Amino acid sequence: DAGVTQSPTHLIKTRGQHVTLRCSPISGHKSVSWYQQVLGQGPQFIFQYYEKEERGRGNFPDRFSARQFPNYSSELNVNALLLGDSALYLCASSLSRGTGNSGNTIYFGEGSWLTVV
Amino acid sequence: QKEVEQDPGPLSVPEGAIVSLNCTYSNSAFQYFMWYRQYSRKGPELLMYTYSSGNKEDGRFTAQVDKSSKYISLFIRDSQPSDSATYLCAMIGNSGGSNYKLTFGKGTLLTVNP
């Protein structure tokens, strides 16, 4: 089975531009979360989507938005890019929204490397 | 105070050594504890998953959780050069606002020298 797939793998954008990152979860997984990982830091939670609805949001500005599609894939959008948005953006998938048993573990994709110049 | 504290290292050990990696946390709502391994410029890979206090062993890896001390550990026996990576601890609650997002430590960079 395919794992979590993300695209694009690398991209370079200019300050003020907009970016869209895409994620396909593991087959059968209904929950998709997005994390930002700045160099030298652990991933920081941005959003969780479950059954196409936003279920949780981290401490990120409104320039960050996301959505989940009927096939459970997801997009992360970032507007008005700043230099500080340069990071690895990780998508994670799990069976359901929260943890309830060891079966609901969270798996990450390889990420999308965003560089803002 | 950060919710999860992890010494970023770097940690350098000879091949075959026993490695001990640790995290402390402050949020008593955390119930599930994970260790992820992240190779350079790759996504995190789940290594170990532990619920509540206790030990869990998987091959050369042992995860320990001490909820009374809010302290978790990952031990790697007979370390190999292929274990060289950043190790991230992560935690999640089981109710309310803490059961849907992972909270990570900064990660510890480990190098195992041949």
Side-chain angles (χ1 to χ4, degrees):
Chain A
D1 281 342
V4 180
T5 57
Q6 293 187 242
S7 64
T9 54
H10 296 82
L11 69 168
I12 300 173
K13 292 286 189 177
T14 303
R15 275 179 298 175
Q17 284 189 316
H18 163 270
V19 68
T20 297
L21 307 176
R22 295 177 176 84
C23 171
S24 292
I26 293 171
S27 178
H29 285 194
K30 298 182 177 181
S31 173
V32 169
S33 298
W34 288 94
Y35 289 78
Q36 180 197 64
Q37 187 176 22
V38 174
L39 203 61
Q41 301 291 323
Q44 296 289 317
F45 172 77
I46 309 175
F47 286 111
Q48 190 207 42
Y49 276 76
Y50 178 67
E51 291 285 12
K52 301 177 285 295
E53 290 188 13
E54 181 183 309
R55 302 292 182 148
R57 183 184 183 113
N59 187 24
F60 281 81
D62 291 344
R63 300 185 295 108
F64 288 75
S65 63
R67 54 180 176 167
Q68 187 176 32
F69 299 100
N71 65 354
Y72 302 108
S73 67
S74 177
E75 280 183 355
L76 175 69
N77 296 282
V78 187
N79 294 322
L81 285 166
L82 303 173
L83 295 179
D85 295 330
S86 296
L88 176 65
Y89 288 85
L90 295 162
C91 176
S93 82
S94 59
L95 277 169
S96 58
R97 176 176 184 261
T99 56
N101 56 66
S102 61
N104 193 35
T105 46
I106 299 170
Y107 299 93
F108 285 85
E110 295 288 10
S112 294
W113 283 96
L114 170 65
T115 302
V116 182
V117 298
Chain B
Q1 180 188 9
K2 284 198 163 218
E3 280 193 294
V4 180
E5 299 277 2
Q6 182 176 11
D7 185 343
L11 182 61
S12 182
V13 301
E15 183 175 354
I18 297 174
V19 176
S20 173
L21 304 167
N22 311 291
C23 289
T24 59
Y25 63 96
S26 57
N27 189 344
S28 57
F30 291 141
Q31 296 287 333
Y32 298 86
F33 305 91
M34 283 142 275
W35 287 93
Y36 286 86
R37 178 173 62 194
Q38 187 174 29
Y39 291 113
S40 181
R41 304 188 71 81
K42 296 289 187 181
E45 169 195 2
L46 180 65
L47 270 180
M48 299 287 286
Y49 181 110
T50 309
Y51 170 65
S52 197
S53 286
N55 293 0
K56 184 174 183 179
E57 187 172 321
D58 185 2
R60 297 184 295 112
F61 299 90
T62 300
Q64 287 186 351
V65 174
D66 182 349
K67 291 192 68 185
S68 63
S69 302
K70 295 189 174 64
Y71 186 88
I72 71 170
S73 300
L74 177 71
F75 297 95
I76 308 174
R77 291 183 298 282
D78 188 24
S79 55
Q80 302 295 310
S82 58
D83 295 328
S84 299
T86 295
Y87 289 80
L88 296 156
C89 63
M91 308 173 189
I92 192 167
N94 68 348
S95 63
S98 64
N99 74 335
Y100 58 85
K101 62 176 183 178
L102 287 169
T103 301
F104 283 88
K106 289 180 72 170
T108 300
L109 177 61
L110 170 68
T111 301
V112 181
N113 301 299

